Amino acid sequence: MVPVVAVGCMRIDGMEQQAASRLIGTALEHGANFFDHADIYGAGRSEEVFADAVGMTSSVREGLILQSKCGIRPDIQTFDFSREHILASVDGILKRLRTEYLDVLLLHRPDALVEPEEVAAAFDQLEQEGKVRHFGVSNQHPRQIELLKKYVRQPLVANQLQLSITNATMITSGLNVNMENAEAVNRDGGVLDYCRLHDITIQPWSPFQFGFFEGVFIGHAKFPALNAKLDELAAKYGVSSTTIAMAWLLRHPARMQPVTGTTTPERLADCLRAADVTLTREEWYGLLIAAGNTLP
């Protein structure tokens, strides 16, 4: 059992310890003890800042669920799912987080040169040594996952994918089956239904971004209809527009676990309040259409 929202730590590398402690404290006060990391966030600095901010000890660690990712190597501009790199990456992650184990390790972006036998060997060793308890992937489509599953013994429990009201192709392509419009294009191999069929939790990243890090759609002039609808529902439910945008993801029956990206405690609290808001079917579709998506 994990919280319905994961707290993303990508941007905390430049925070002072007091500010980072306040952010993490806000999460824990709301029952959000699942924290998402990656070895490339701040070149590893985000994990160090987190460990300092939370005052990591064995007793503190027991109350946390920690997830990190590996496989991107910006130093040599490659992706690397080799056994050697996975094992070395996890050792570095554990050292920076000051913990003996990760609850979840995700493979970060697909590696075109992946040898799934090596991934399986790395996962087996990490499990046997008690360094990682669960495994998953990030940004992978069904066939890539199936290739891994041919060799990997452990269940792949999560797939981290970009998804928001404005970046919803994995949803809209399923609504436009057998149509000739642009939204009918299947860009991900049907990953949404695949993950539901195989009990893989989708973890939407950038839940408030449009495009590829072009900006936040909340309050943006490019989306007047969407923001009017967000404001209308925010007033109805007595919450912020941020809460409504997050509640839109949580309303989907795939039981997704969105990953936040904010470093502002107040906005993080707004994200976490979405767990208490259940949008109606009409409201959910209304937001989808207001974002510029069309129904056939």
Side-chain angles (χ1 to χ4, degrees):
M1 298 298 294
V2 297
V4 295
V5 174
V7 181
C9 297
M10 183 173 71
R11 298 183 176 90
I12 70 171
D13 57 297
M15 298 181 72
E16 297 291 337
Q17 181 174 338
Q18 183 175 1
S21 295
R22 182 168 174 249
L23 179 72
I24 296 166
T26 298
L28 295 174
E29 289 168 8
H30 286 78
N33 66 339
F34 190 110
F35 296 92
D36 175 71
H37 296 270
D39 58 358
I40 65 164
Y41 292 167
R45 177 62 182 155
S46 292
E47 291 168 332
E48 295 173 339
V49 168
F50 177 87
D52 289 339
V54 78
M56 187 67 78
T57 63
S58 58
S59 59
V60 169
R61 177 66 181 92
E62 291 177 3
L64 305 175
I65 302 173
L66 299 183
Q67 171 176 282
S68 195
K69 301 181 284 294
C70 71
I72 298 178
R73 298 190 62 180
D75 56 331
I76 55 175
Q77 294 187 310
T78 70
F79 299 136
D80 191 346
F81 286 175
S82 67
R83 175 178 176 273
E84 179 183 21
H85 180 69
I86 292 172
L87 295 177
S89 295
V90 170
D91 284 343
I93 291 167
L94 297 180
K95 181 178 179 180
R96 291 188 294 271
L97 287 173
R98 303 208 302 266
T99 181
E100 295 181 352
Y101 68 95
L102 283 175
D103 293 286
V104 187
L105 174 70
L106 304 184
L107 298 177
H108 205 175
R109 292 280 174 190
D111 175 13
L113 301 181
V114 62
E115 297 183 54
E117 301 95 328
E118 287 203 26
V119 173
F123 284 7
D124 283 346
Q125 184 171 337
L126 291 169
E127 183 181 56
Q128 290 163 9
E129 294 177 352
K131 293 180 178 179
V132 178
R133 296 184 172 179
H134 303 281
F135 300 88
V137 297
S138 180
N139 306 296
Q140 295 205 17
H141 63 57
R143 290 302 181 186
Q144 292 167 325
I145 297 173
E146 283 294 310
L147 178 60
L148 286 176
K149 287 170 64 175
K150 181 178 178 180
Y151 300 91
V152 170
R153 295 185 306 102
Q154 298 83 0
L156 298 176
V157 300
N159 190 6
Q160 206 167 99
L161 299 156
Q162 184 176 15
L163 176 63
S164 70
I165 303 173
T166 57
N167 286 56
T169 56
M170 72 172 68
I171 293 174
T172 56
S173 64
L175 292 172
N176 287 271
V177 173
N178 202 39
M179 304 296 293
E180 294 184 353
N181 55 20
E183 289 184 316
V185 176
N186 186 332
R187 303 177 188 277
D188 51 45
V191 71
L192 173 58
D193 292 333
Y194 174 87
C195 288
R196 293 183 72 182
L197 282 167
H198 293 274
D199 297 320
I200 299 173
T201 298
I202 292 176
Q203 296 179 336
W205 56 266
S206 290
F208 309 118
Q209 290 275 341
F210 66 92
F212 189 68
F213 295 109
E214 292 181 44
V216 175
F217 59 77
I218 299 173
H220 199 287
K222 185 177 179 179
F223 301 98
L226 174 58
N227 279 288
K229 190 67 175 176
L230 287 170
D231 291 344
E232 173 192 328
L233 294 174
K236 173 184 174 180
Y237 287 97
V239 296
S240 71
S241 295
T242 296
T243 303
I244 296 299
M246 185 66 83
W248 185 84
L249 290 170
L250 296 180
R251 175 62 178 83
H252 195 281
R255 299 178 67 185
M256 302 177 192
Q257 185 188 33
V259 181
T260 67
T262 184
T263 58
T264 304
E266 293 75 18
R267 192 164 182 226
L268 176 60
D270 284 342
C271 292
L272 301 177
R273 291 187 183 101
D276 300 320
V277 176
T278 302
L279 299 176
T280 67
R281 181 180 295 268
E282 181 181 0
E283 290 164 349
W284 188 90
Y285 273 101
L287 286 167
L288 180 73
I289 294 170
N293 301 295
T294 57
L295 300 183

